[in-house]
Amino acid sequence: MIDFEPTEEQTLMVTAVSQLAEKLRGAIRRTEEERGLSEETRKTAFEMGLGGAVSVPESHGGAGLGLVTAVLLDEALAAGDPAAPFALGGPGAFASAIAELGTAEQASAWITRLSAHDRCGAVAWSEARPNRTRPGLSALATKDGDAWVLRGEKAFVLNADRADAFVVFAQVDEAKGWSGVGAFVVDAKADGVRVGARKSTLGLDAVGACDVTLEGVRITNDDRLLGGDEFTKAALRFFVKEGLKVASRAVGLSQSAVDIALEYVSNRRAFGKPIGHFQAVAFTLADRAIDIDGARGLLRRAASLWDAFAAGTAQERDALLTSAYAIAASLEGAMRAGDDAVQLHGGAGFMRDYPVEKLMRDAKQLALCVMTKEQADQLAAAIELDMPLDPALVLPTPDLQAVFT
Amino acid sequence: MTIEFSLTKRQEELRGMIRSFAKNVIRPQSLAWDRAHGIPEDFLMRFTQMAAAAGGSAGAWGIQGLGASADESAPKPDAADKKKKSAMVNTVIAAEELATGDPALLLCLPGPGLGGPPVRGSGTPEQKERFFSIFRDMSAGLKWGAYALTEPGAGSDVAGIRTSCRKDGKAWVLDGRKCFITNGARASWNVVFATIDPALGRAGHRAFVVEKGTPGFSVGKIEDKMGLRASETAELVFDECRVPEENLLGGEERYQTKEGFMTAMKTFDNTRPLVAAMAIGIGRAAYEYARDFVKENYVLSRPIPRYAAIAERLARVGRELAAARITTWRAAWLADQEVANAKEASMAKAAGGQAAIRACFEAIEICGAHGTIAEEHQLLEKWFRDIKVYDIFEGTGQIQRIVISKRLMPDLKSF
């Protein structure tokens, strides 16, 4: 049954999160300067249930509220500060990765461990450069008796500076290319884990991004994540579902950019009237409103398909395809909304007195988190053309475009 | 209530039935209809009968308000059942499917057509009975209603119509011309908008039901169009046309306010999502044709250097259609919930038309020269011709943006 209305419980949660978002919007420059959310904000958010494992099933240590709820909350929070959903306490993207790739025992043990406002998890997937000698990741996992030894350099790892644990992707079989990738849980305090200095980034200032170097880190076999029957499929599910959350943040950003621009053009006067009267201005905002409506609808539809897939009532193919559409539409929409919001402010938009320049920077960086528009388009086309879901083609590999995770 | 987008079993069945009918029965005849400038009446008759038989009423095909059904006696859901209403959602689902077969068919369906909503919304009980009853039994011959608003000098600017009306005894006398009227020539009656005084703007508007054969009413030229050639588009001429006063829609007192103009506009809040859905259907047909062409000719047989470029184009087209569809569903869903949806209806219309135009353009480019050839099972060039008007009729893309802008910035007066 087609229904666009959230449940009462979801509406209550979104209302509460929107109030927090309003505060974050007022503090957006301070958050930027301090390069992080305040301890108090993290605590408040955590008490509201925004611990990062909202959509993870209860059997895996999460809140079990489903992906629809997760994208509703992320959108509402990101409308205040697009970086905030990344910078909360709790396991975050780590939870999504371990829930998809690990067993219920592995997931619930680690997620429980990291579920506190001052704990944090991270995912180390990307590498700074593509491997020039063979397909696949350069970071290696080699077997040593019952254990694994990890060596290599990971890049663009969000929250690495404060993470207590990582899901690390590394090559377990060099002969198998992108099908030879494996995943491991690595304690940040383990010998040989070195987190690099926090990078200075274009946007999303509230969350840190660092390189992570693994110098012979020993992992027991218990901490290898096998990804169920098919590792590549499980990895793809992680990227796509986490990509949907990023996309919902992009929609929150778009809405915020349009709202700010609407207020500006309703007050700023030129040629004797508010500039919103001019069609060149009004139609630009109408187009962005159309973008938002489509992206938001796709996003919710994709999330509901994943929830239905988990319940056994939808096909994975449909969930993947709609997600790919939703991700590309949301990211592209946010880049346009950020750009137009600055443009409609004229010279003022370029000044840090107004928030729109930050939203424009945030939008560009969001579009490089987890899964890009280009990667989502490749995935959609592969599905529609009935091509095999070759990991080299459909995973966000550094061969195509490096992403933040 | 909860956010979900799965179709009910009944909607699935409806969609599956129309989908296969559109593909196997309608599409193979589409090009011939286009060339003949019309759809044979016996096909329309059979189609109408079949739709009625399939669902008990044509409403089951979800195309009421558009053509096939004039059934005023259809049971109305009571208030407690409000949350479950899905008439408009069913309509847009069905319209998308039918349009994949042939978009002109929907416009050619017998019934009150676009004339239905204003009569339903503004007519007196006596008028509703009189004008809708002719559609109840069409076994002796098909009948149409139509909607005549546009004039040579007033299209988007509806308030600028010049067709005049003046009271003379027990009749109104109409003078002027209407153009681009779908089914206007064959209609048993047209809802015609005229003005008592152009200086009054919208307040001067009156809506009449002008019946075929009314003295002073005649049909001008039938337009020769770029696309949708199987649909009749007529010019209507009113020369001292005497319309009986009982055909003034809603009666005299209705026009003491701005109701007249609102009568014209209300029609669009429900038809825009429908038109958007039709556009999406055409766009989808073109997209699927190009996708399958690529699949058959490039992907399986050899490595494709063009793959990345083609993949990007296909993905963009598929995505824009999917986004427009969800916006259209939302506009329809709001109508079913009886929530004001003017902004959403316009967003759907703007997004649907644009996405579908892009789909038809890209599909031809992807297929290369092959895409321009017209054959029974290869209709890209026809869809390319058909689709353009979807960003024009029922309000141009620019008019939709004005409607949206007004709702985004309610404090501002002009755009």
Side-chain angles (χ1 to χ4, degrees):
Chain A
M1 162 122 210
I2 292 170
D3 193 346
F4 286 81
E5 199 167 340
T7 63
E8 250 172 73
E9 194 191 359
Q10 285 167 337
T11 305
L12 285 172
M13 290 178 81
V14 166
T15 307
V17 171
S18 294
Q19 284 164 0
L20 176 64
E22 206 46 54
K23 280 187 201 151
L24 288 174
R25 185 184 290 206
I28 199 162
R29 291 299 184 186
R30 206 183 71 205
T31 308
E32 182 184 5
E33 269 163 38
E34 291 173 359
R35 303 181 86 199
L37 296 175
S38 67
E39 163 94 8
E40 188 199 336
T41 303
R42 277 196 196 134
K43 210 166 174 178
T44 310
F46 200 85
E47 282 159 7
M48 290 167 71
L50 299 173
V54 171
S55 58
V56 172
E58 284 173 300
S59 59
H60 288 61
L65 295 175
L67 205 52
V68 169
T69 306
V71 298
L72 291 174
L73 299 180
D74 269 17
E75 182 190 328
L77 188 61
D81 184 341
F86 292 94
L88 296 173
F94 174 98
S96 311
I98 200 168
E100 216 58 65
L101 294 161
T103 62
E105 294 73 39
Q106 285 173 318
S108 53
W110 278 100
I111 289 173
T112 309
R113 236 178 102 178
L114 297 182
S115 287
H117 77 276
D118 54 355
R119 312 300 304 261
C120 181
V123 176
W125 157 261
S126 288
E127 296 176 353
R129 267 163 227 88
N131 189 317
R132 288 170 210 178
T133 55
R134 59 161 174 80
L137 293 168
S138 298
L140 284 182
T142 42
K143 192 100 198 205
D144 181 17
D146 282 346
W148 291 87
V149 179
L150 301 186
R151 283 196 178 79
E153 290 175 18
K154 309 303 288 184
F156 313 122
V157 183
L158 295 176
N159 285 317
D161 50 333
R162 57 189 190 95
D164 299 290
F166 299 91
V167 169
V168 174
F169 289 84
Q171 200 72 17
V172 290
D173 187 340
E174 290 193 77
K176 285 197 178 157
W178 287 107
S179 301
V181 172
F184 302 85
V185 185
V186 175
D187 193 312
K189 293 194 193 73
D191 286 342
V193 176
R194 201 158 48 81
V195 175
R198 189 170 164 180
K199 307 272 189 193
S200 182
T201 54
L202 174 70
L204 299 181
D205 311 82
V207 58
C210 318
D211 295 336
V212 176
T213 308
L214 306 154
E215 296 165 330
V217 181
R218 289 186 74 83
I219 308 288
T220 68
N221 209 27
D222 291 345
D223 284 333
R224 181 175 178 195
L225 307 174
L226 287 168
D229 303 337
E230 247 187 291
F231 185 85
T232 296
K233 267 278 185 73
L236 179 60
R237 277 199 301 274
F238 157 66
F239 283 111
V240 164
K241 288 157 96 172
E242 195 62 17
L244 276 182
K245 290 186 199 161
V246 175
S248 70
R249 297 163 199 174
V251 170
L253 183 155
S254 300
Q255 187 66 63
S256 168
V258 166
D259 289 346
I260 293 167
L262 280 171
E263 196 187 327
Y264 185 81
V265 304
S266 299
N267 293 306
R268 168 76 183 181
R269 298 177 72 89
F271 307 103
K273 52 186 176 181
I275 59 172
H277 280 288
F278 298 102
Q279 291 185 345
V281 171
F283 286 12
T284 302
L285 290 169
D287 281 333
R288 298 298 73 82
I290 293 171
D291 286 352
I292 290 172
D293 198 77
R296 181 183 282 139
L298 283 174
L299 195 60
R300 293 178 183 184
R301 188 171 186 198
S304 77
L305 280 165
W306 282 115
D307 288 345
F309 173 69
T313 57
Q315 299 295 317
E316 187 172 21
R317 180 191 185 281
D318 294 339
L320 284 171
L321 179 62
T322 307
S323 300
Y325 286 158
I327 290 167
S330 306
L331 298 180
E332 190 176 73
M335 287 187 281
R336 284 198 201 130
D339 183 10
D340 284 343
V342 170
Q343 188 69 23
L344 294 181
H345 277 67
F350 203 66
M351 305 300 147
R352 295 201 173 204
D353 299 342
Y354 290 87
V356 284
E357 65 82 26
K358 180 173 188 319
L359 293 182
M360 184 176 168
R361 290 187 285 116
D362 284 350
K364 185 44 103 177
Q365 184 141 357
L366 264 180
L368 294 170
C369 289
V370 183
M371 187 169 246
T372 66
K373 172 171 89 76
E374 291 75 14
Q375 288 157 355
D377 279 346
Q378 288 287 326
L379 173 61
I383 293 169
E384 275 287 86
L385 293 172
D386 291 331
M387 295 169 72
L389 296 184
D390 177 357
L393 194 66
V394 300
L395 291 184
T397 75
D399 291 1
L400 296 168
Q401 222 173 359
V403 292
F404 291 91
T405 53
Chain B
M1 60 227 95
T2 178
I3 294 177
E4 63 155 325
F5 304 94
S6 58
L7 304 189
T8 62
K9 198 157 173 291
R10 193 156 161 275
Q11 285 169 331
E12 289 269 14
E13 283 168 7
L14 171 80
R15 188 175 65 168
M17 184 167 65
I18 303 179
R19 182 172 289 181
S20 96
F21 190 78
K23 182 169 170 243
N24 301 319
V25 181
I26 300 175
R27 195 179 285 182
Q29 307 183 67
S30 176
L31 196 61
W33 294 343
D34 190 61
R35 288 178 175 157
H37 291 214
I39 299 175
E41 285 215 8
D42 68 321
F43 181 87
L44 292 175
M45 178 77 87
R46 272 185 290 130
F47 181 81
T48 311
Q49 284 164 351
M50 190 187 63
S57 82
W61 283 66
I63 43 186
Q64 64 211 127
L66 183 83
S69 170
D71 198 356
E72 284 302 293
S73 58
K76 297 219 164 43
D78 58 45
D81 205 32
K82 195 174 145 189
K83 286 286 170 204
K84 284 185 186 152
K85 266 185 73 177
S86 58
M88 266 309 285
V89 167
N90 291 348
T91 301
V92 297
I93 290 170
E96 177 182 333
E97 295 305 327
L98 267 184
T100 64
D102 185 283
L105 173 60
L106 272 158
L107 302 180
C108 288
L109 290 179
L114 285 179
V119 175
R120 197 169 295 132
S122 308
T124 64
E126 182 275 326
Q127 288 173 332
K128 286 189 216 181
E129 170 60 26
R130 187 151 50 96
F131 298 123
F132 284 128
S133 63
I134 64 167
F135 303 110
R136 263 178 217 143
D137 179 12
M138 293 194 279
S139 54
L142 299 176
K143 296 202 170 60
W144 289 265
Y147 178 86
L149 181 64
T150 298
E151 300 181 2
S156 298
D157 183 10
V158 171
I161 57 170
R162 288 291 176 274
T163 295
S164 66
C165 58
R166 61 185 164 83
K167 192 79 186 281
D168 181 24
K170 291 207 164 290
W172 286 83
V173 181
L174 271 61
D175 276 290
R177 278 168 187 271
K178 295 287 177 183
C179 64
F180 310 149
I181 311 305
T182 300
N183 297 324
R186 61 181 168 191
S188 298
W189 48 258
N190 275 276
V191 174
V192 178
F193 291 81
T195 177
I196 52 169
D197 178 0
L200 292 175
R202 294 164 187 184
H205 285 191
R206 299 291 180 270
F208 300 91
V209 180
V210 179
E211 292 166 276
K212 207 173 195 167
T214 303
F217 166 61
S218 62
V219 174
K221 71 171 173 175
I222 305 293
E223 302 288 348
D224 188 14
K225 305 190 297 299
M226 173 186 185
L228 291 183
R229 293 167 70 85
S231 163
E232 174 191 280
T233 307
E235 181 191 29
L236 308 182
V237 182
F238 304 90
D239 183 10
E240 300 255 325
C241 171
R242 293 186 71 84
V243 179
E245 66 178 356
E246 59 269 25
N247 283 21
L248 175 66
L249 201 56
E252 199 77 54
E253 59 283 5
R254 196 174 176 85
Y255 295 92
Q256 303 313 312
T257 59
K258 270 168 64 180
E259 284 284 350
F261 181 73
M262 294 323 287
T263 300
M265 290 297 106
K266 262 185 189 159
T267 300
F268 295 128
D269 292 351
N270 279 330
T271 55
R272 281 176 178 158
L274 181 69
V275 171
M278 291 170 67
I280 292 164
I282 304 169
R284 197 186 93 206
Y287 165 76
E288 287 175 352
Y289 188 90
R291 179 198 65 193
D292 294 347
F293 182 86
V294 169
K295 216 188 312 190
E296 282 159 28
N297 292 287
Y298 294 116
V299 174
L300 299 178
S301 54
R302 73 195 90 126
I304 30 159
R306 285 177 67 207
Y307 171 74
I310 291 178
E312 198 274 336
R313 285 178 163 209
L314 280 176
R316 167 175 292 274
V317 168
R319 151 164 47 103
E320 289 180 354
L321 289 171
R325 179 179 299 115
I326 206 85
T327 295
T328 301
W329 284 7
R330 194 162 89 90
W333 177 81
L334 286 170
D336 284 338
Q337 309 302 306
E338 290 168 21
V339 175
N341 73 339
K343 181 176 82 177
E344 289 76 13
S346 282
M347 295 205 291
K349 171 70 173 51
Q354 223 163 37
I357 286 173
R358 169 114 70 161
C360 292
F361 275 52
E362 292 281 0
I364 287 206
E365 280 195 24
I366 288 170
C367 295
H370 183 81
T372 64
I373 308 293
E375 283 167 9
E376 191 178 298
H377 292 283
Q378 186 177 321
L379 298 160
L380 280 186
E381 69 82 30
K382 178 177 179 296
W383 293 328
F384 182 94
R385 289 186 287 106
D386 287 344
I387 195 62
K388 180 59 203 169
V389 78
Y390 283 81
D391 204 27
I392 299 174
F393 63 10
E394 300 282 305
T396 63
Q398 289 67 40
I399 289 295
Q400 309 308 331
R401 284 165 179 81
I402 288 178
V403 175
I404 299 163
S405 299
K406 280 182 178 166
R407 273 130 189 115
L408 286 176
M409 293 176 275
D411 295 340
L412 303 192
K413 295 286 176 273
S414 72
F415 292 96

